[in-house]
Amino acid sequence: MTTNIRYKSRIPIKSDETVEEKQYVGFATLPNQVHRKSVKKGFDFTLMVAGESGMGKSTLVNSLFLTDLYKDRKLLNAEERINQTVEIIKHTVDIEEKGVKLKLTIVDTPGFGDAVNNNECWKPITDYIDQQFEQYFRDESGLNRKNIQDNRVHCCLYFIPPFGHG
């Protein structure tokens, strides 16, 4: 069984000041088809936030997306913060606004820049970004490319402290 789907396009045709609809299938309808498919499927977006503790990273993320991603977070005392190293924590939330679905992944880097000696504190972050790109490349190179998870970092916000050595 074959179905013939025709997409309507409004092209004004002058006939007594009325607009008639002409039906056709062609390249002109391709953007509409891709748009509908993308909106139906939804979008993946991965945001990485990096910076020292207390810079307002979680406050900004919660304000941007009107959600509380860090409701189960516990604050560390001074001794725990001294021994803390840079770690990567992923938070995922599904957001839907006006029928558009967004799978938002926030990659947080607690402990980044909090040590006295910050030599190579950026190493775990770059390793994580490289690892995600390599995983996506392996998935794209494989045979089954239908349901690939895109966990690559799309945007990284780096918070710079307002004080320092100039």
Side-chain angles (χ1 to χ4, degrees):
M1 180 178 147
T2 61
T3 58
N4 188 6
I5 300 174
R6 294 201 166 268
Y7 296 95
K8 293 182 179 180
S9 176
R10 292 178 183 244
I11 299 175
I13 299 173
K14 293 181 183 178
S15 63
D16 298 332
E17 297 180 16
T18 60
V19 176
E20 297 178 10
E21 291 185 2
K22 181 180 176 185
Q23 294 183 356
Y24 69 96
V25 176
F27 289 113
T29 61
L30 190 60
N32 295 335
Q33 295 171 27
V34 172
H35 174 74
R36 278 193 300 272
K37 182 179 176 183
S38 297
V39 168
K40 183 180 176 185
K41 181 182 169 193
F43 300 95
D44 293 334
F45 187 73
T46 303
L47 172 68
M48 176 180 271
V49 289
E52 295 178 15
S53 297
M55 295 294 296
K57 299 182 297 289
S58 45
T59 303
L60 177 70
V61 169
N62 288 336
S63 298
L64 279 176
F65 300 105
L66 299 174
T67 184
D68 189 12
L69 292 173
Y70 303 97
K71 55 183 166 263
D72 56 346
R73 177 179 62 170
K74 68 174 187 122
L75 298 175
L76 302 176
N77 60 26
E79 290 178 7
E80 291 171 329
R81 287 180 72 185
I82 290 172
N83 296 329
Q84 184 182 19
T85 59
V86 178
E87 58 180 316
I88 307 290
I89 299 175
K90 289 172 54 174
H91 302 278
T92 303
V93 64
D94 292 321
I95 300 173
E96 185 170 343
E97 183 176 311
K98 295 183 181 178
V100 179
K101 297 174 189 170
L102 173 68
K103 180 184 170 198
L104 175 68
T105 304
I106 303 294
V107 179
D108 198 1
T109 58
F112 178 78
D114 287 344
V116 175
N117 183 6
N118 285 322
N119 289 343
E120 297 194 16
C121 65
W122 48 267
K123 194 82 168 127
I125 294 173
T126 56
D127 290 344
Y128 175 80
I129 293 171
D130 290 340
Q131 175 188 5
Q132 297 306 314
F133 272 91
E134 288 171 6
Q135 179 65 39
Y136 188 79
F137 179 72
R138 278 194 301 274
D139 291 345
E140 277 281 315
S141 300
L143 295 175
N144 188 9
R145 294 188 292 259
K146 202 106 171 134
N147 298 318
I148 295 176
Q149 284 275 329
D150 187 7
N151 293 323
R152 298 174 295 175
V153 176
H154 298 105
C155 178
C156 180
L157 294 178
Y158 178 65
F159 289 72
I160 301 172
F163 48 85
H165 300 287

